[in-house]
Amino acid sequence: MTIHAIRTGSVRIKTAQVEGRGRGLRRRLTLFADRNWTDWLPTYAWVIDHPEGVIVVDTGQGIQLLDNVRSFHPYQRWQVAFRIEREEEIGPQLRALGVGPRDVQRVVLTHLHIDHDGGLAHFPRSEILVSRGELRTARGWMGCARGYLPNRWPSWFDPVPLDLAAEAFGPFAASTRLTQAGDVVAVATPGHTADHLSVAVLDEGVTYFLAGDASYNERLMLAGEIDGVSVDDEMAGRTLEAIRCFARDRPTVYLPTHDPESAMRLATRRVIIRSSGTAG
Ligand SMILES: [Zn+2]
């Protein structure tokens, strides 16, 4: 089994989105007052070349996001900026790896934010899995109001709603195996969105934790600092705690979507090393 990191362009957000300030509604509103941008951060999608077939986790950005500067949505217009060229979309990058559209059996989305579902158009023949609750949240005009772009989904988009079974996977309360071998597992990591999921890939004694936006980087996960957009403080905090707990027992390579060090960690199999005194 091989995992590939596919960088689908870059994104810039406000620093108060990466590391939330305050709690609750105040935390979620503060980012709109923040004038400080992050550096350009990568947006990774992941390709699991598995004996049972290729699984893609998240589809990254698409060039249609460059139109967001004209959006009426205050978040999309003023709080986020994208960089991407057409050949940086996931489709062309998969072809460069020798993976054609028909080779991808399944696409799993950690959540439906616009930089995770932006490459859906490249997968018309794949089974697409999205958690049922996330789909409900993102649909329709309420989805648009929440900052999703359901109007940009391909017309054929009809994902399989994923109900994570009430089967614990380590400290995670709900999980579903995505392969017969049981070595690719979707786990519930609610917080960033209420139905956010992550994908754990077990290979040769190491767990590769494809974390989506559970946190924007490893440091914040270790520190238990939640982001500026998470829907619920307690829920997001419990998820970060569960990830730390998981990594305590098993060698874990932590791979968030926007962490500048994710690709290096994957390439060098660098597991989470907790320094003494780290919270949690
Ligand atoms: Zn997100």
Side-chain angles (χ1 to χ4, degrees):
M1 177 161 40
T2 312
I3 304 173
H4 301 278
I6 307 277
R7 181 172 181 161
T8 61
S10 310
V11 63
R12 242 167 36 132
I13 52 180
K14 297 298 180 64
T15 56
Q17 179 173 343
V18 171
E19 188 166 358
R21 296 176 197 155
R23 291 179 62 79
L25 187 60
R26 175 189 287 263
R27 169 178 53 78
R28 297 171 71 186
L29 291 175
T30 296
L31 70 107
F32 286 90
D34 185 9
R35 291 167 181 273
N36 299 311
W37 291 91
T38 63
D39 291 334
W40 288 99
L41 303 172
T43 299
Y44 286 110
W46 308 97
V47 179
I48 307 166
D49 197 348
H50 190 279
E52 295 177 31
V54 175
I55 301 173
V56 166
V57 178
D58 285 340
T59 64
Q61 298 179 177
I63 56 165
Q64 71 278 8
L65 292 176
L66 300 175
D67 294 341
N68 263 25
V69 287
R70 293 196 294 272
S71 171
F72 292 109
H73 194 284
Y75 176 82
Q76 287 162 18
R77 183 158 185 155
W78 287 300
Q79 306 299 325
V80 63
F82 297 101
R83 269 185 187 163
I84 178 156
E85 309 272 344
R86 189 175 289 279
E87 57 273 23
E88 291 178 297
E89 290 190 358
I90 189 166
Q93 295 208 61
L94 278 175
R95 278 194 291 281
L97 286 173
V99 179
R102 289 172 196 277
D103 300 328
V104 178
Q105 307 248 309
R106 283 179 149 184
V107 175
V108 187
L109 298 173
T110 59
H111 62 308
L112 287 165
H113 280 167
I114 57 181
D115 48 336
H116 297 255
D117 70 1
L120 277 175
H122 296 288
F123 302 99
R125 293 177 197 86
S126 308
E127 181 182 53
I128 298 174
L129 303 175
V130 182
S131 88
R132 188 183 294 277
E134 181 72 16
L135 202 52
R136 209 181 300 125
T137 306
R139 272 202 167 121
W141 66 269
M142 275 301 288
C144 290
R146 294 184 180 110
Y148 292 88
L149 284 174
N151 48 317
R152 292 273 181 81
W153 291 340
S155 55
W156 48 258
F157 183 58
D158 185 22
V160 177
L162 190 59
D163 292 305
L164 295 188
E167 186 181 324
F169 180 74
F172 302 100
S175 71
T176 294
R177 292 167 178 227
L178 299 177
T179 54
Q180 297 282 330
D183 51 3
V184 181
V185 186
V187 298
T189 48
H192 179 74
T193 67
D195 297 280
H196 186 281
L197 63 82
S198 299
V199 176
V201 183
L202 288 57
D203 189 32
E204 296 178 6
V206 175
T207 300
Y208 297 86
F209 199 87
L210 310 180
D213 291 351
S215 73
Y216 287 107
N217 60 49
E218 184 177 281
R219 178 184 66 80
L220 293 168
M221 179 276 291
L222 289 173
E225 297 285 351
I226 69 171
D227 68 35
V229 294
S230 284
V231 288
D232 183 285
D233 295 62
E234 315 300 330
M235 187 193 274
R238 275 198 302 275
T239 283
L240 298 183
E241 193 180 337
I243 296 169
R244 291 194 298 276
C245 179
F246 182 86
R248 223 171 358 240
D249 296 337
R250 316 175 197 211
T252 300
V253 179
Y254 187 61
L255 302 170
T257 300
H258 302 292
D259 190 329
E261 295 183 8
S262 281
M264 174 277 294
R265 264 184 232 128
L266 174 64
T268 60
R269 300 183 162 212
R270 211 226 64 187
V271 299
I272 297 170
I273 299 161
R274 292 163 51 85
S275 57
S276 56
T278 303

